[in-house]
Amino acid sequence: MLHYFTNSTLATPQQLINIISYEDEVLSMKVMKLTALYSVLLLASVSWAQANTNESAGVYKKACTPELIQAAKSNADICYGVNTASDIQITKKNDDKYKIKVVIIGESTNKNYMNTYGYPLENTPFLSSVNGRFFNNFISAASNTVPTLTRALAKNDLKTITQHHEKPYYNNNSVVDLANKAGYETYYIGNNGSFGDDEIGFTNYFLKANYFLPVRDSKPGFENLFVQEKFVVDDSVNKLTNDFKMLPAFKAALNNPSEKEKVIFVHMWGPHHDGWPKGACELVKNNYNINPEQFDTGWGSIANCYVSAIKLSDDFIGDIYSILQENNKNGDYPFSILYFSDHGQGLVKANKQHVKALEAEYKGYIKDGNLYLRHGQLVKGAYQVPLVVINSDDTKREFRDEMLSEWNLFDYFASWLGVETNLTSPAKSIVAETITPEKDIDVFVFPRDEFVKYDSLPQDTVLSPATVNTKVVADN
């Protein structure tokens, strides 16, 4: 007889998976039920740890006690400002039927490489078929993750963007503050970095969530407070991990008993790579154990692997949708998904400076004159990103052409959440029938640390079968 508990310790899901591999269908059903129980216990254990760590109100305050900050031994800015009161005041809460709201933050996704937005290869079967509202002209705030998310996820002052890229930035009026103020129970599940020096800025926003679940990162001193990855994670390639490993934590968040409606933030790794051939191909091959070149773009590995990585992101979003559908099978938990990417990837033609700068790490990969996809470039593709709203009761596919800027994501988030505040404008909406377009959009270019007008940038060539043997436009 098999035992699922050893010395009163619940078996890990990986052990359960191993059991499933050797047992019959009846036993598999029992194991599946136990896995669901494990998901509930997973979050319950965090609640218990938090409740027994500190008696003060506010889960995020318990997460950021001086003892834990000291134990983490990260930089001095972790938890910076998380106890600062928000200035947000909810002035109106509209009737909203969606009890579960999920924000999926993608990574390094140029929408022009998505079949949903017209790319000729079918690498987004889910997003190309699901009903929802798709925005054709959503422009990211900056060319890299940190300067984008630290500003886009909060009501910001654009002048602060000129601070150094890695300087932790804090704003006490973030989307998490807004969701908390609106009365939602909030969750953060992240497969992106959380505790690195340059990630602390937006991590401090998410530390205000009621539950903070960093799947990938771990810090000494935080083990008993944050739910860490309980499954097998392959960190062999630049600590890149498999986004699908967030799904058990996502199910746990859904199943966690609560009388409140929920907002769940899911931060993907996505097709994020360093922009050189070594990155995207090894990301797909080593972390997903599949052929990294599922698609033949006609442009070789650099494009083939990137397009394949986007397919994995589409599969992941589809799985989130399926889980939400199952959760709503009786109509009790209608849901809404907001998906966007932090920034895109631009096409660059490598020069001698690129080769010299990256030679030590990528010997043999960097060639003068070769084309590469990377972020931080003076081309439009670095900023052209997907923005999608998918509701459980959508009945059509709608594409909107209004020009929108990620600088206003805080306002767009409020409209999607169904609230009006003292800091947001009802005119800046992504759910209304009439949407006000933005004009004269600025984007921030890193590492140049400067603003440029989006309209001043050239449109870089999209590497696809349709553009083979055509004149190439790229940054250099």
Side-chain angles (χ1 to χ4, degrees), residues 139-141 143 377-380 383 407 440-446 448-458:
I139 309 304
S140 66
S143 55
Q377 301 307 309
L378 290 170
V379 287
K380 286 183 175 176
Y383 308 92
W407 289 111
D440 199 29
I441 294 175
D442 288 311
V443 293
F444 185 75
V445 183
F446 176 81
R448 293 172 173 85
D449 287 350
E450 63 182 4
F451 284 106
V452 298
K453 295 296 181 184
Y454 170 76
D455 285 339
S456 71
L457 300 175

Side-chain angles (χ1 to χ4, degrees), residues 217-251:
D217 281 354
S218 176
K219 279 290 180 184
F222 283 73
E223 297 91 338
N224 294 327
L225 193 62
F226 300 151
V227 175
Q228 301 298 335
E229 175 58 65
K230 303 298 182 183
F231 309 88
V232 175
V233 175
D234 179 6
D235 279 345
S236 61
V237 184
N238 299 328
K239 295 187 176 180
L240 308 183
T241 54
N242 186 317
D243 281 329
F244 294 90
K245 295 181 185 298
M246 289 191 286
L247 294 179
F250 180 74
K251 292 177 182 178

Side-chain angles (χ1 to χ4, degrees), residues 405-424:
S405 171
E406 202 171 36
W407 289 111
N408 296 314
L409 186 65
F410 184 82
D411 295 79
Y412 302 151
F413 178 80
S415 72
W416 173 74
L417 207 61
V419 299
E420 296 178 17
T421 80
N422 60 318
L423 300 180
T424 55

Side-chain angles (χ1 to χ4, degrees), residues 331-347:
D332 296 329
Y333 298 100
F335 60 87
S336 182
I337 298 172
L338 173 62
Y339 163 63
F340 68 95
S341 180
D342 56 353
H343 58 81
Q345 294 277 268
L347 186 64

Side-chain angles (χ1 to χ4, degrees), residues 42-43 102-105 186-194 206 209 211-216 227 229 243-254 263-269 316 320:
L42 195 64
L43 280 173
V102 180
V103 181
I104 303 177
I105 304 172
T186 50
Y187 298 76
Y188 173 75
I189 304 168
N191 191 35
N192 214 289
S194 296
F206 293 121
Y211 294 94
F212 181 80
L213 315 174
V215 170
R216 184 167 72 91
V227 175
E229 175 58 65
D243 281 329
F244 294 90
K245 295 181 185 298
M246 289 191 286
L247 294 179
F250 180 74
K251 292 177 182 178
L254 278 182
V263 174
I264 306 172
F265 296 89
V266 180
H267 194 179
M268 300 173 62
W269 185 268
F316 175 80
I320 291 286

Side-chain angles (χ1 to χ4, degrees), residues 125-307:
F126 170 71
L127 288 174
S128 293
S129 59
V130 70
N131 292 327
R133 177 175 275 195
F134 301 80
F135 292 86
N136 290 324
N137 295 296
F138 185 54
I139 309 304
S140 66
S143 55
N144 289 63
T145 299
V146 175
T148 293
L149 294 185
T150 48
R151 279 75 182 183
L153 294 177
K155 190 66 177 179
N156 58 69
D157 175 0
L158 300 192
K159 296 178 181 178
T160 61
I161 193 71
T162 57
Q163 296 177 5
H164 191 272
H165 172 66
E166 294 183 355
K167 175 65 178 175
Y169 173 91
Y170 187 75
N171 187 317
N172 62 317
N173 301 311
S174 74
V175 292
V176 180
D177 290 305
L178 179 52
N180 288 337
K181 281 273 190 174
Y184 289 90
E185 186 168 82
T186 50
Y187 298 76
Y188 173 75
I189 304 168
N191 191 35
N192 214 289
S194 296
F195 297 112
D197 289 345
D198 56 348
E199 297 145 351
I200 292 299
F202 62 79
T203 294
N204 284 338
Y205 297 163
F206 293 121
L207 279 168
K208 284 184 143 181
N210 299 130
Y211 294 94
F212 181 80
L213 315 174
V215 170
R216 184 167 72 91
D217 281 354
S218 176
K219 279 290 180 184
F222 283 73
E223 297 91 338
N224 294 327
L225 193 62
F226 300 151
V227 175
Q228 301 298 335
E229 175 58 65
K230 303 298 182 183
F231 309 88
V232 175
V233 175
D234 179 6
D235 279 345
S236 61
V237 184
N238 299 328
K239 295 187 176 180
L240 308 183
T241 54
N242 186 317
D243 281 329
F244 294 90
K245 295 181 185 298
M246 289 191 286
L247 294 179
F250 180 74
K251 292 177 182 178
L254 278 182
N255 294 332
N256 192 39
S258 176
E259 295 182 359
K260 291 185 175 183
E261 298 177 356
K262 298 176 180 178
V263 174
I264 306 172
F265 296 89
V266 180
H267 194 179
M268 300 173 62
W269 185 268
H272 184 284
H273 62 94
D274 45 34
W276 308 106
K278 184 178 179 181
C281 295
E282 292 198 8
L283 162 66
V284 175
K285 179 180 179 181
N286 291 7
N287 290 277
Y288 295 89
N289 297 317
I290 63 173
N291 175 15
E293 300 192 48
Q294 300 177 60
F295 300 92
D296 183 5
T297 65
W299 290 92
S301 296
I302 182 61
N304 296 347
C305 295
Y306 183 62
V307 171

